[in-house]
Amino acid sequence: MDQTDINSDILTASLLRWYDQMGRNLPWRVKGKPHPTPYHVWLSEIMLQQTTVVTVKPYFENFLKKWPTIEDFAGASLDDILHAWQGLGYYARARNMYKCAQQIVASYDGKFPRTSALLSKLPGIGPYTAAAIATIAFEEKITPVDGNVIRVLSRLFAIQEPLPSGMKRIFSLAQTLTPSYRRGDFAQALMDLGATICTPRNPQCFLCPWQKSCQGFQQGIAEALPEKKPKAVKPTRYAVAFVISHADGSILLGRRQEKGLLGGMIAVPTTPWRNEDYPLEEALTSCPLRCMWKEKIKEVTHVFTHFNFRVRVCYGSVLEDSPWLPPDSFWVKPEDFPKMALPTLMKKILYPSKNTQNHRSPQKP
Ligand code: SF4
C-alpha cells in the first residue's frame, strides 16, 4: 500500500470507532466532552516524555492540585516545581516548563498559542509536543509522531527502510491520514493503538481495527517492524563525589551550573564527569574544601539516556571551620534533605545503601 492507495476515510472511521469504545481513560483526557485545556495537554505530554503513563498519573494529578492554571504554575517558585517533580527524572523538562509558563503568561496573556508553529518556539516544546497540543487542544490538522505512531504506521504500510531514514515517509503518511474532523481524537487514537494493541512485542492484531488493511500483518512481518539500525553500546562515564560533613552534622550541598545534566539541581560536589575512571589522588584535587577523609567509599551507578554513570563517593569532615564556601554552596542538615529538590542520583549518593564498603583511606589533597 502506497500513499496514493490510502483510503484514509475508511482507516480514520474504523480507528475512531475503536477509540470511542476502547480508548484509554486517562486523567488528562476528556473523551466525549469538549477538548482538554492546552495546559493539561502540555503538562501531560511533557511528563510523558521518557516516562510511563502509570508513573505520570499521580504526578499529573498532584501538579494540577498545586497549580490548577498556567498562571499558578508560572507564579510558583522553581524550587517548589523541582521538588514536586522529584522522581520523574530529566529535570531539564521541569526547568523548561517553568520558563515556558512564564513566557506564556508574559507574552500571551496566559493563553497558549493555538498553532504548532508558534508553540514550537516556546522553551521545552519540540515538534512532537507542539503538534500534540495544537491538535488535541485546538484541532490543528497535524498528527504528532511519537514512537507509538512510528511503530503503527511502519507496520500498516510495511515500511522496511530502517529508522531514522524512514522517518520522513512515516511523517508524511501520518499527515496524509489526518482527517478533516476529530483530529485531536485521531491523534490520541493512534497513540492508544500503539500503546495497547500494536505493541512492540506480540501485537494483538486480532483485536486491531486496521488488521484488514495492515500490510505488515498480511506479510507476516509486523513484529519485526519498525526496522532499526543496531544500537551503539552505551558508554560509561565516571566521577568521584564528595560527601563533606561539618562539625554540626550538616552536609555540603550546592546548586549545579544551569547548563548540562542535572543543571541547576542541588548536588554534592563532584569531580568533572569524564570517560575514564579517576585515581583517588587525582579526584581529591577537585574537592573544594580541605577534609579529613574516612575509610569508607561507596560505589553508585546510575543510568542516563546516553551513558551509564559510575560514581565513587568519598566521605570526609571539613578540617577547619572556614567561613569560605564554594559559590552557590551551603550546609544542609540531613533531616532537611527531604525538603530539597534532590535528583535521584544525589539521593543514591546521600542516603545509606548496602553498597558502602571500607576502602583504603584516600590521601588528603
Ligand atoms: S494489524 Fe497488527 S501490526 Fe497491523 S497495525 Fe494492527 S496491531 Fe499493528
Side-chain angles (χ1 to χ4, degrees):
M1 186 164 47
D2 204 337
Q3 208 150 334
T4 48
D5 306 326
I6 298 173
N7 191 333
S8 51
D9 289 347
I10 291 178
L11 288 172
T12 300
S14 58
L15 184 64
L16 286 172
R17 257 198 316 277
W18 172 84
Y19 177 66
D20 289 339
Q21 290 168 11
M22 307 302 293
R24 292 174 294 178
N25 283 317
L26 300 170
W28 45 89
R29 288 266 172 89
V30 284
K31 274 170 68 183
K33 294 185 198 156
H35 299 110
T37 71
Y39 177 54
H40 291 189
V41 182
W42 170 71
L43 207 53
S44 61
E45 287 296 340
I46 303 275
M47 285 181 169
L48 285 165
Q49 290 167 10
Q50 326 232 22
T51 312
T52 62
V53 166
V54 176
T55 305
V56 164
K57 276 183 186 173
Y59 282 90
F60 176 81
E61 282 160 356
N62 185 40
F63 267 58
L64 278 193
K65 221 179 273 166
K66 280 177 179 291
W67 304 294
T69 66
I70 185 92
E71 285 88 355
D72 298 324
F73 190 90
S77 81
L78 178 58
D79 270 346
D80 280 350
I81 289 169
L82 292 173
H83 195 258
W85 191 267
Q86 271 186 77
L88 278 177
Y90 303 102
Y91 286 81
R93 290 183 291 171
R95 286 195 304 276
N96 279 330
M97 283 171 87
Y98 188 56
K99 283 187 209 152
C100 179
Q102 293 193 318
Q103 206 165 311
I104 289 171
V105 169
S107 308
Y108 294 96
D109 197 22
K111 295 182 179 60
F112 277 77
R114 298 176 69 89
T115 65
S116 54
L118 282 175
L119 284 161
S120 61
K121 292 188 177 146
L122 292 167
I125 299 190
Y128 167 80
T129 308
I133 299 170
T135 193
I136 297 171
F138 301 122
E139 283 287 310
E140 181 173 320
K141 192 172 188 308
I142 187 167
T143 292
V145 177
D146 69 351
N148 284 325
V149 176
I150 291 169
R151 186 169 57 255
V152 173
L153 297 187
S154 298
R155 292 171 176 177
L156 179 66
F157 296 99
I159 296 171
Q160 292 177 61
E161 189 181 352
L163 299 177
S165 53
M167 274 305 296
K168 208 171 161 194
R169 185 163 167 228
I170 291 170
F171 186 82
S172 162
L173 286 164
Q175 307 322 312
T176 304
L177 284 175
T178 308
S180 54
Y181 63 102
R182 296 187 65 188
R183 294 162 186 153
D185 283 349
F186 178 78
Q188 293 176 95
L190 207 44
M191 293 172 191
D192 280 16
L193 189 69
T196 62
I197 302 286
C198 194
T199 46
R201 276 177 286 282
N202 300 320
Q204 310 288 299
C205 300
F206 61 97
L207 296 174
C208 178
W210 281 355
Q211 193 203 63
K212 277 191 191 144
S213 308
C214 180
Q215 295 297 300
F217 171 74
Q218 281 165 26
Q219 294 174 30
I221 56 170
E223 198 170 340
L225 299 176
E227 290 264 359
K228 286 185 190 144
K229 283 196 178 145
K231 271 192 186 164
V233 178
K234 232 184 216 190
T236 300
R237 304 196 73 200
Y238 301 87
V240 173
F242 308 108
V243 176
I244 302 169
S245 51
H246 189 275
D248 68 1
S250 49
I251 301 290
L252 184 70
L253 297 180
R255 194 175 288 282
R256 287 175 61 83
Q257 289 182 343
E258 281 296 325
K259 286 208 167 138
L261 272 172
L262 308 185
M265 302 300 302
I266 307 291
V268 297
T270 72
T271 59
W273 302 6
R274 70 181 193 189
N275 295 337
E276 57 181 304
D277 205 354
Y278 279 90
L280 278 176
E281 291 74 11
E282 182 193 346
L284 290 172
T285 61
S286 296
C287 180
L289 297 177
R290 278 171 36 83
C291 295
M292 172 70 76
W293 295 103
K294 295 180 182 158
E295 292 276 323
K296 69 175 181 181
I297 286 188
K298 183 164 82 169
E299 299 268 350
V300 167
T301 54
H302 194 73
V303 178
F304 287 103
T305 311
H306 300 298
F307 63 93
N308 298 313
F309 195 36
R310 289 187 57 192
V311 186
R312 274 181 300 161
V313 186
C314 296
Y315 297 83
S317 312
V318 66
L319 274 179
E320 62 257 336
D321 197 5
S322 156
W324 183 85
L325 281 181
D328 287 329
S329 296
F330 33 84
W331 295 104
V332 179
K333 290 265 169 67
E335 56 267 33
D336 291 329
F337 289 168
K339 296 181 202 154
M340 318 287 299
L342 289 171
T344 306
L345 171 64
M346 289 302 141
K347 285 184 184 164
K348 287 185 188 175
I349 288 172
L350 284 165
Y351 293 143
S353 78
K354 290 177 195 155
N355 224 1
T356 307
Q357 317 155 354
N358 281 333
H359 206 279
R360 80 179 172 80
S361 182
Q363 304 296 304
K364 286 176 219 162

